Structure formats: structure tokens, C-alpha cells
Amino acid sequence: MKDLQNLKYLECVIKEALRLHPSVPIISRVSEEEFKIGNFTLPRNTHIVLPLYAVGRDPQYFSNPDDFLPERFLLENTTKIHPFSFVPFSAGPRNCVGQKFAMLEMKMIVGKVLRDYEILPLGPDIMPTMSLILRSTTGINLGLKPRA
């Protein structure tokens, strides 16, 4: 467990992958009370859609938003990230209760695969499509080559 927690850069890689390709690309909420956003007043019971896929690629929140830069999630850089611009496990009272377990599980699986195999792209390029979860219309075609 301690070894998994010490894999800080791998955690940055996973977070950057989740920023670019969130498992759940869109979440929605219903306002419990009236509130203002800028010059707009939203009434109570308004359905609000939060496009996490678009927020993760917004240059207002992430410089070079289409580049894969895990370093943006290093501890010294996280103060530059708006707390609600990256919420791969949701946020607030409806956040994922298993998010720490999920991160440990991802680290364990990715670490094991990368230790034993080289991952090779076999094409075609991934073409994302949004439904309840983010999917690819072309599948995810990878090859695994055992490491020597």
C-alpha cells in the first residue's frame, strides 16, 4: 500500500489521462435554491449540466489544454489548478466515495502492465463519443509486447 502511495508521478499521469478523457464526461445537478452567475439569476430547481470533458480542455483553466502534461498535477503545480476545473470523481456531497480506492487500483493495474509489457498502438485513432460514459466509436486497439 505504501509503495502505491509513493507512485506520485504515476498518479499525475492518471490524473492527466482523466482530465483529457474523463470516465464520465458530463454530470448534471438541480439547483436547490435561486442563485446568480454573473448577470444571470437561475431559479430554484434549474437543471444544470456540467461538461467535464470541455472544462478539462478549457484554456482558461489549463494552459496547452490538448497537450498531455502530467507535470501539471505535481504537488507544486496543483495550486494553479482551479479546484472545480478537475473533478474526475465529481465533487461536493455527490462525489465518489471510492475515489481513493479507484486511484490505488488504477496505479496498481497500470504499474503492473507497464512493468511487464510495452504498450503498442495498433490503430485506428480513438474517436471519442459521449454517452453516460466516454467511449470510442473505433474501440481502443492496443498490443502488448512482453518486456525482456
Side-chain angles (χ1 to χ4, degrees), residues 56-94:
R57 293 167 183 271
D58 189 331
Q60 178 180 346
Y61 301 113
F62 297 99
S63 60
N64 304 315
D66 294 323
D67 294 345
F68 187 79
L69 302 170
E71 295 78 13
R72 68 176 95 228
F73 288 100
L74 289 172
L75 186 59
E76 61 268 19
N77 295 332
T78 55
T79 57
K80 301 172 191 167
I81 298 174
H82 188 284
F84 291 107
S85 65
F86 177 72
V87 286
F89 299 102
S90 193
R94 292 184 61 188

Side-chain angles (χ1 to χ4, degrees), residues 3-4 7-18 23 68 70 89 101-119 142 144-145 147:
D3 289 342
L4 287 175
L7 296 173
K8 301 296 184 193
Y9 191 76
L10 179 57
E11 186 169 327
C12 293
V13 168
I14 291 168
K15 286 180 177 181
E16 182 69 348
L18 288 171
S23 304
F68 187 79
F89 299 102
F101 173 76
M103 183 59 74
L104 288 173
E105 189 175 46
M106 285 185 280
K107 283 179 171 181
M108 184 179 63
I109 292 168
V110 170
K112 175 67 174 155
V113 169
L114 291 178
R115 184 175 39 249
D116 295 342
Y117 298 98
E118 181 180 348
I119 299 175
L142 299 171
L144 297 177
K145 178 181 170 186
R147 293 190 184 271

